[in-house]
Amino acid sequence: MKWAFLLISLGYLLIADGVLPAVATKQFQDVMTRGRAFSHNKYHGRLKDWSSDHNKWNDKLYPHWEEGDPRWNNCWKGGKVVATLTSDSPALVGSNVTFTVTLKFPRCQREDNDSNIVYDRKCLNGSSNYTEGLPDQYVYNWTEWIDNCGWGNCTHNNSHNNSHNVFPDGKPFPYHHDWRRRNFIYVFHTLGQYFQKTGGSSAVVSINTTNITLGKQMMEVSIYRRGYRSYVPVTAASIIYVVTDKITLYVNMTQKNDRNVSDHIFIKDIPITFEVKIHDPSHYLNSSNVSYQWNYGDGSGLFVSNNSVSTHTYKLQGNFSPDLLVQAFIPAPCGPVTPPPPPTTPAITTQLPPNVTTPTSYSLTDLPPAEGCHIARNGPYKTSISIVEGILGINIIQMTSIQVAATEVENSMVDFVVTCQGSLPTDACTMIADPTCQVLQSEACDPVDVADECLLTIRRAFNESGTYCVNITLGDATSLALTSTLVSIGGAGGSFSRTAEGVLIACGFLVVFAVCLTFFLYKRYKQYKPIEQEQVQEAPREGLKVYFNNVKAVLFPANNEKDPLLKTKPGIV
């Protein structure tokens, strides 16, 4: 009996001293359980500015509701708030991974400039039927609440006289100049640790992955809103993110005349451009020395470059498997290297584009050592492509005007005789635009049946006189080639042009005779003239020279073939 009394007395003393709790106290790990789903190992290091989830959770100020609790139905006026949590994973170990959570409010609700939640009275195409009968424009007028209590104490729960501006673990809110607009509390949880912050309808947090186990991890976030006597749970979200020791990358492959960029079918004898894109949103590799080693799979050998863009031309048809190895040497402090902990989860599977590479396995032998005060990382890439015969190019070799009715411009038609190199086309398209080739006026596509030689005639009608830009494309199942030309369609002015041409030719002979006579007289009777007089007469002589040049252009159009301006318009015949 004496011993029992001593034990009871000791228990009271321990409770009084806070060694034993009088009632069960919740911890962060009891409230937020998803953030430990992939974290049951000893390899995780401490995240900077994060705290252990063994800390106590203030359930009175931040009540915790289990999923399915009916109180969720009334936690927000007018409906439910949905949180979208995203990340820029996968992250190379040593880099930062960033998480963004965004709140989507119920229909016809939005956040105003003061971070109050208001009714959007124009959300129904200008109709106010949805908001008729509402007491005021606010869903939650937090500005008024805060103005009534100030920074020091914003609680109406005066019985306990507790400060309202604290997180679930009791730490006070950090002071921000815009603290009045931070009416949501975000609690992030991962790897057995948590991070708390205030904000508006969105929040962003980043963590460094140096001491994080390779593989899949879980991040979860719980969001609370400001209330009168406590903070009210609003919503929660979670997401899986990936930490890898391989450089994540994807490759864009493009080629001129390639009809479908996503089918990995390319054309023989036309260069293919390989553009490597490294996934590095935190710019971890900015100061690294990155090299690209290509093997295009056609027996042409290895190509190493520090340029992320390369080109290669396949000379034969068939299937090939180009592969790439990207290597990065990352500056690091000199000293012994501690490899990142191995993963404790199965192979990584993430919803990424098919040409994005991520690691599927890991071993300590795969880890390159840090030599010369740097860490070496690599990223492999391999794909399969098909090389086929395609249309390499097209040319317009002749244009013939067909005047159906001589007096009606509306019936003007032009035959375009087109040839192509490479495979035979199966369809032809013509696009007619304004002279700048910017404003499309008409478009027509037709199937074509070419037997042995790529030579076909395309007839197109023009409704008005003027100058047109004509684009002609020939295509088959895998390729598409294009050429352009300018066409001038003349109407009634055509007959005037022929008449004017005859008059100019007749007058031209007279001009040539006058020029010869003037030159003969000038050579025979040339006299000394002062410089001043020569300068005065120079201007009219220049005008005469320009005129003679214009006449020469009309009389001898063949000489204009050497005009360099004509070379800028290929396809004009």
Side-chain angles (χ1 to χ4, degrees):
M1 192 69 180
K2 180 178 179 181
W3 289 104
F5 177 78
L6 291 175
L7 289 175
I8 293 174
S9 301
L10 179 60
Y12 278 116
L13 290 175
L14 292 175
I15 293 175
D17 291 338
V19 177
L20 294 178
V23 293
T25 303
K26 287 185 177 179
Q27 298 178 344
F28 276 76
Q29 64 178 351
D30 301 323
V31 176
M32 309 184 73
T33 58
R34 295 184 179 180
R36 301 179 65 89
F38 298 97
S39 306
H40 297 296
N41 60 73
K42 62 182 180 180
Y43 293 103
H44 294 306
R46 175 74 178 272
L47 299 177
K48 183 179 179 181
D49 298 326
W50 288 58
S51 304
S52 170
D53 62 4
H54 291 283
N55 290 345
K56 295 180 180 179
W57 175 284
N58 188 340
D59 191 54
K60 187 172 184 63
L61 191 58
Y62 290 85
H64 169 62
W65 301 338
E66 298 288 346
E67 186 175 354
D69 193 306
R71 287 175 291 183
W72 284 108
N73 298 327
N74 300 316
C75 68
W76 189 272
K77 296 179 183 178
K80 293 184 178 181
V81 177
V82 177
T84 301
L85 180 61
T86 61
S87 80
D88 57 12
S89 162
L92 182 64
V93 61
S95 68
N96 291 343
V97 57
T98 299
F99 302 88
T100 302
V101 58
T102 305
L103 301 182
K104 182 179 180 181
F105 301 111
R107 183 168 172 265
C108 293
Q109 295 184 14
R110 62 178 179 85
E111 186 181 36
D112 67 6
N113 294 333
D114 295 323
S115 292
N116 296 312
I117 309 302
V118 298
Y119 291 104
D120 188 356
R121 298 181 181 273
K122 297 181 180 180
C123 70
L124 296 176
N125 297 325
S127 173
S128 61
N129 295 332
Y130 177 78
T131 56
E132 286 182 357
L134 294 176
D136 53 34
Q137 70 181 51
Y138 292 100
V139 182
Y140 293 103
N141 187 357
W142 285 309
T143 300
E144 181 181 0
W145 296 1
I146 296 173
D147 287 341
N148 290 336
C149 59
W151 167 256
N153 188 358
C154 280
T155 179
H156 289 258
N157 188 8
N158 296 325
S159 59
H160 295 302
N161 195 24
N162 291 327
S163 173
H164 203 59
N165 292 336
V166 295
F167 288 113
D169 61 359
K171 294 180 180 178
F173 293 168
Y175 181 80
H176 300 278
H177 69 280
D178 61 342
W179 66 272
R180 295 176 183 273
R181 299 179 180 179
R182 296 170 176 258
N183 298 296
F184 292 96
I185 289 80
Y186 297 86
V187 184
F188 295 87
H189 184 226
T190 188
L191 308 174
Q193 303 169 62
Y194 68 90
F195 181 80
Q196 310 162 120
K197 68 181 303 182
T198 59
S201 59
S202 64
V204 178
V205 65
S206 296
I207 58 176
N208 186 268
T209 60
T210 299
N211 297 320
I212 296 181
T213 301
L214 302 180
K216 295 187 295 184
Q217 305 296 341
M218 174 76 76
M219 172 67 77
E220 66 172 325
V221 59
S222 294
I223 300 100
Y224 285 73
R225 68 167 175 86
R226 190 182 294 276
Y228 276 104
R229 288 180 169 81
S230 66
Y231 289 93
V232 181
V234 171
T235 186
S238 61
I239 190 175
I240 293 176
Y241 62 99
V242 177
V243 179
T244 172
D245 66 330
K246 303 296 183 184
I247 299 174
T248 303
L249 59 95
Y250 65 95
V251 178
N252 278 338
M253 294 177 287
T254 57
Q255 184 186 46
K256 180 184 177 182
N257 295 357
D258 184 25
R259 190 160 196 167
N260 187 347
V261 297
S262 61
D263 61 1
H264 283 203
I265 300 177
F266 298 96
I267 307 167
K268 180 175 71 73
D269 294 329
I270 296 182
I272 303 175
T273 300
F274 299 84
E275 183 179 9
V276 183
K277 296 286 188 179
I278 294 178
H279 179 73
D280 185 27
S282 66
H283 309 293
Y284 176 61
L285 299 177
N286 274 12
S287 58
S288 303
N289 183 13
V290 182
S291 63
Y292 305 84
Q293 179 178 298
W294 276 103
N295 182 350
Y296 296 104
D298 59 350
S300 57
L302 296 178
F303 299 87
V304 181
S305 171
N306 58 0
N307 194 335
S308 62
V309 179
S310 63
T311 60
H312 185 71
T313 302
Y314 288 86
K315 300 297 184 180
L316 300 175
Q317 300 183 53
N319 298 321
F320 301 92
S321 298
D323 63 74
L324 166 71
L325 181 65
V326 176
Q327 290 184 318
F329 293 92
I330 309 165
C334 297
V337 177
T338 303
T344 57
T345 56
I348 300 170
T349 303
T350 56
Q351 293 184 355
L352 298 172
N355 55 348
V356 175
T357 62
T358 56
T360 56
S361 62
Y362 173 90
S363 67
L364 290 178
T365 58
D366 293 334
L367 271 177
E371 299 177 356
C373 303
H374 66 259
I375 300 174
R377 301 291 182 196
N378 64 74
Y381 172 84
K382 190 170 186 176
T383 188
S384 298
I385 62 175
S386 298
I387 304 298
V388 299
E389 187 79 27
I391 303 175
L392 304 180
I394 63 176
N395 293 292
I396 302 173
I397 62 173
Q398 184 178 350
M399 293 188 297
T400 305
S401 177
I402 301 176
Q403 198 75 22
V404 178
T407 59
E408 295 184 7
V409 178
E410 304 81 45
N411 297 322
S412 295
M413 305 187 75
V414 176
D415 280 351
F416 300 88
V417 181
V418 180
T419 63
C420 66
Q421 300 82 43
S423 62
L424 299 179
T426 58
D427 56 79
C429 293
T430 306
M431 293 180 290
I432 300 176
D434 69 326
T436 65
C437 300
Q438 300 296 322
V439 181
L440 181 65
Q441 297 182 359
S442 64
E443 181 178 6
C445 293
D446 300 292
V448 295
D449 186 10
V450 181
D452 300 322
E453 182 183 4
C454 183
L455 178 66
L456 65 154
T457 300
I458 301 173
R459 176 171 293 181
R460 290 294 177 257
F462 296 85
N463 296 328
E464 298 178 352
S465 61
T467 302
Y468 297 89
C469 173
V470 179
N471 291 333
I472 297 178
T473 59
L474 300 180
D476 60 9
T478 59
S479 58
L480 192 69
L482 176 145
T483 189
S484 300
T485 186
L486 290 177
V487 177
S488 181
I489 303 298
S495 59
F496 170 80
S497 298
R498 297 185 184 93
T499 304
E501 183 179 353
V503 173
L504 285 173
I505 292 174
C507 295
F509 286 106
L510 294 176
V511 172
V512 171
F513 176 77
V515 170
C516 293
L517 180 61
T518 302
F519 181 78
F520 174 79
L521 294 175
Y522 173 79
K523 297 291 289 184
R524 187 181 181 96
Y525 300 103
K526 180 179 179 181
Q527 297 178 357
Y528 170 78
K529 296 179 182 180
I531 295 179
E532 292 78 9
Q533 186 176 357
E534 186 74 19
Q535 291 177 345
V536 172
Q537 294 180 356
E538 186 176 354
R541 187 177 301 171
E542 282 295 325
L544 183 63
K545 180 179 178 182
V546 173
Y547 174 76
F548 283 159
N549 285 338
N550 292 337
V551 172
K552 177 184 176 183
V554 174
L555 297 179
F556 309 103
N559 292 336
N560 289 337
E561 291 179 355
K562 298 180 180 180
D563 189 347
L565 293 178
L566 292 179
K567 298 180 181 179
T568 63
K569 299 178 179 179
I572 297 181
V573 181

